[in-house]
Amino acid sequence: MGKLIADRTSKIDSSGIRKVFALAAELEEPVNFSIGQPDFDVPEALKEVAIKAIREGQNKYSQTAGDAVLQNKIAEQVKNEFGWERPAVLVSSGVSGGLLLAFLALVEPGDEVVIPDPYFVIYKHIINMLGGKCVFVDSYPEFGLPVEKIAEAITDKAKMIILNSPCNPTGVVYSEEEIKQLAEVAAEKDVMVMTDEIYEKFCYDGGCPSIANYYEKTLLLRGFSKSYAMTGWRLGYAAANDSLGEVVEAMTKVQQYTFVCAPTPFQKAALAAMDYDVADFVDIYRRKRDLVYEGLKDKFELVRPGGAFYAFVKAPDGSGTEFVEKAIKNNVLIIPGNVFSEKDTHFRISYATSDEKIEQGVEILRGLA
Ligand code: PMP
């Protein structure tokens, strides 16, 4: 047998995370600040809808682009929110599924994708696998949207700009002003924007402005994983208005020969989820954000997160990786910043855990500062 594994897989480097999990395997009851999913369970009412759908036999393939009722409901929602006349909608297997389809449909070898750094890990590795080039734009130390630097980074090879607000790993929410300025830059350069809004419900200090309100060449990706704690149900969607309708169409074509469709019974639950109010969960997570921020701010350099459930904290001395090793030796699991960045100066805390664990973890980290 010749070479088995395709070269493209060598473009994926998961060593940072693997190292954390190898160290973590030895811990007993650690404070786990590494998890990227809510600590609450799927609301009972939504579980019932999924169970009923399974019992009633909704267990076959749905349409490639999604259950027609769900697709229409999503279309109606984005129409109301953004004023899009005829939105194109694709129900995907999580936002990860939507991201893969979008990159497969759009990125050709040599294409540049402009991404604020720090960034969500998936973008970089899939773009690299496809032969695209990530153009990272530094947003340290405040992690606001670096509009001017983005404008400078756009060349004639730029295929798209990626936004992620609220941001994983920083928890930062971009302001309306920043978003409007970026919309102007994107329009001037005629580059599309892909906006990953998976954390849109987790906004603690007012709304989370979406570029979809200000720029028509926006591909919107949203999901159900985080808002309703259904990460294992694999549900998300992509939507665009007329001007990017062909993108959603191309993604649907790729879905037909890859994922085929998102899980059918859970699409029924997604329909119910769209009418489910998560304000109570958001209130609980706002308090967790305060516990972490107030607990660390006098000992560490960190920006107050406005959304999601992460804080991105500067390591007190040395590299992020070194600090993470020290924290793990003290029973706190955190992720080194270089998993999400070209720099290794920070670490990510996920505060999607119990208040007791947060208090315990904050105390231990303070002792290491
Ligand atoms: N985008 C961001 C920014 C994320 O943090 C995640 C999950 N960690 C995803 C997309 C993918 O989520 P899912 O595939 O579960 O919808």
Side-chain angles (χ1 to χ4, degrees):
M1 204 185 301
K3 181 170 67 94
L4 209 52
I5 306 300
D7 286 341
R8 73 177 74 90
T9 58
S10 68
K11 306 260 171 65
I12 299 178
D13 173 22
S14 52
S15 55
I17 293 263
R18 266 207 310 273
K19 210 165 156 185
V20 171
F21 288 124
L23 286 167
E26 294 154 25
L27 302 183
E28 268 175 47
E29 291 191 38
V31 174
N32 194 344
F33 280 160
S34 74
I35 308 177
Q37 58 188 342
D39 70 323
F40 57 91
D41 197 6
V42 177
E44 285 304 316
L46 303 181
K47 284 185 193 169
E48 287 305 326
V49 177
I51 292 164
K52 186 160 172 274
I54 290 170
R55 291 227 163 92
E56 286 178 353
Q58 308 275 350
N59 301 307
K60 309 282 196 283
Y61 301 128
S62 74
Q63 296 288 318
T64 306
D67 176 285
V69 184
L70 176 60
Q71 217 191 350
N72 285 338
K73 189 161 174 119
I74 295 167
E76 198 59 33
Q77 185 182 302
V78 293
K79 188 173 166 183
N80 290 340
E81 198 173 340
F82 306 123
W84 292 349
E85 261 320 302
R86 280 179 305 281
V89 173
L90 164 68
V91 181
S92 58
S93 287
V95 173
S96 309
L99 285 166
L100 181 65
L101 296 176
F103 291 140
L104 282 169
L106 291 165
V107 176
E108 297 196 84
D111 280 353
E112 294 180 353
V113 181
V114 178
I115 309 173
D117 176 346
Y119 45 80
F120 173 52
V121 272
I122 283 184
Y123 312 146
K124 169 178 170 172
H125 297 294
I126 306 293
I127 291 164
N128 284 344
M129 268 176 93
L130 295 172
K133 185 176 166 227
C134 298
V135 178
F136 294 114
V137 181
D138 194 313
S139 73
Y140 288 80
E142 296 293 323
F143 309 121
L145 189 54
V147 180
E148 272 175 35
K149 288 194 222 160
I150 289 176
E152 285 162 19
I154 295 173
T155 72
D156 53 7
K157 294 201 185 113
K159 182 50 86 59
M160 67 174 133
I161 304 165
I162 300 182
L163 295 191
N164 170 217
S165 174
C167 176
N168 177 7
T170 63
V172 166
V173 174
Y174 297 143
S175 70
E176 189 128 9
E177 203 45 45
E178 289 172 318
I179 297 269
K180 277 188 190 165
Q181 285 170 2
L182 188 86
E184 274 170 31
V185 166
E188 199 185 298
K189 308 264 185 185
D190 194 26
V191 182
M192 67 166 279
V193 170
M194 186 170 81
T195 178
D196 176 346
E197 300 183 2
I198 190 164
Y199 297 103
E200 41 123 14
K201 299 264 193 277
F202 294 90
C203 289
Y204 307 127
D205 309 309
C208 292
S210 172
I211 192 153
N213 266 313
Y214 304 105
Y215 186 47
E216 62 166 19
K217 290 186 183 163
T218 294
L219 176 66
L220 173 75
L221 298 183
R222 283 184 178 170
F224 297 87
S225 282
K226 314 282 173 167
S227 313
Y228 310 99
M230 40 179 83
T231 49
W233 289 12
R234 314 309 307 129
L235 287 166
Y237 64 85
N241 78 355
D242 265 351
S243 57
L244 288 188
E246 62 177 329
V247 174
V248 177
E249 221 172 278
M251 289 168 68
T252 308
K253 243 182 352 188
V254 184
Q255 170 130 300
Q256 192 174 346
Y257 293 126
T258 51
F259 298 95
V260 180
C261 65
T264 306
F266 297 133
Q267 290 191 58
K268 296 288 178 199
L271 198 59
M274 289 180 76
D275 293 323
Y276 191 90
D277 186 2
V278 292
D280 289 349
F281 293 129
V282 175
D283 287 343
I284 291 168
Y285 273 64
R286 182 183 298 105
R287 216 189 53 235
K288 292 184 192 294
R289 183 274 310 263
D290 293 340
L291 276 178
V292 167
Y293 179 69
E294 298 302 326
L296 295 179
K297 71 175 190 201
D298 63 323
K299 290 272 193 179
F300 291 87
E301 195 179 314
L302 81 157
V303 176
R304 184 167 183 261
F309 32 75
Y310 308 108
F312 205 57
V313 186
K314 188 158 192 288
D317 44 46
S319 69
T321 304
E322 281 162 0
F323 185 78
V324 169
E325 283 168 13
K326 204 156 103 178
I328 293 176
K329 281 190 188 123
N330 286 274
N331 225 29
V332 179
L333 278 179
I334 48 180
I335 309 272
N338 65 351
V339 168
F340 314 93
S341 175
E342 302 306 289
K343 293 188 180 181
D344 186 18
T345 50
H346 285 59
F347 58 92
R348 189 193 77 173
I349 290 179
S350 161
Y351 51 84
T353 185
S354 69
D355 291 4
E356 298 74 51
K357 284 285 184 189
I358 293 175
E359 277 159 8
Q360 202 185 327
V362 161
E363 220 29 64
I364 297 172
L365 291 176
R366 286 179 65 84
L368 300 175

